[in-house]
Amino acid sequence: MLKFKSLGLSIISASVVFHSQALACVPESVLDRFTNFYFWQANPEMSDKSIKSHQTQYKKEWLAIKEVLKDRIVWMEIPSCYAEHGDYGYEVKDYVETITALIDAVFYTSHPELKGRKLRPSETHLIREWNLIKQSFLYDPC
């Protein structure tokens, strides 16, 4: 009898571990949907359009956005401003930090020569460009 109880607990434990691992891995389709959403915010002219092979800058931006998002989408309770209390789904964690990382990703794909370095106060044209990109992103999660 003890062996069966122990086997039953092992199966339950394995089921819980498997379930939590499944949620730890975001499906590619979910990642692509989030990537498209933020890409279209930065590039509204491309909304619901596919990137053509000759549009290399758009492709670089899309890939940079996807790279930022790949470890920032989690299964969690959806904020009450979007759903009923207790509803769960995929959401972006650390929203403000993620938006800042997305702005940087879009900006630095346009300026690879900067190699991700911080902007200097004297580089007002670059700061202005960064701020324009910032304006294209929804900055408030609710």
Side-chain angles (χ1 to χ4, degrees):
M1 182 74 167
L2 183 58
K3 285 187 178 183
F4 288 120
K5 281 187 179 179
S6 140
L7 177 62
L9 290 175
S10 296
I11 290 171
I12 291 170
S13 298
S15 172
V16 169
V17 169
F18 177 73
H19 181 67
S20 65
Q21 286 175 345
L23 293 179
C25 183
V26 177
E28 193 73 18
S29 62
V30 171
L31 179 57
D32 287 348
R33 195 167 61 245
F34 274 84
T35 302
N36 285 338
F37 175 79
Y38 289 108
F39 174 77
W40 292 334
Q41 280 191 349
N43 301 284
E45 70 281 4
M46 290 296 291
S47 186
D48 292 323
K49 295 180 184 172
S50 296
I51 299 171
K52 307 281 190 259
S53 60
H54 67 279
Q55 295 174 309
T56 55
Q57 185 59 34
Y58 284 140
K59 188 170 188 168
K60 287 177 187 177
E61 284 183 25
W62 193 91
L63 291 170
I65 290 169
K66 185 174 184 175
E67 183 66 24
V68 167
L69 292 173
K70 75 177 188 179
D71 296 323
R72 295 173 185 251
I73 298 173
V74 295
W75 183 261
M76 60 185 273
E77 186 172 358
I78 299 173
S80 60
C81 57
Y82 295 126
E84 296 293 320
H85 177 71
D87 285 349
Y88 282 78
Y90 288 104
E91 289 292 326
V92 173
K93 68 177 179 179
D94 302 324
Y95 186 80
V96 174
E97 289 175 28
T98 298
I99 294 298
T100 301
L102 291 170
I103 297 164
D104 284 346
V106 170
F107 177 81
Y108 287 109
T109 58
S110 296
H111 296 284
E113 73 281 1
L114 297 175
K115 298 181 174 133
R117 73 163 171 79
K118 288 188 174 192
L119 300 179
R120 297 181 188 110
S122 62
E123 297 173 314
T124 55
H125 63 291
L126 294 174
I127 293 169
R128 198 172 313 116
E129 185 179 335
W130 191 93
N131 282 320
L132 280 171
I133 295 167
K134 178 182 177 180
Q135 290 175 12
S136 67
F137 284 97
L138 297 175
Y139 218 74
D140 184 14
C142 288

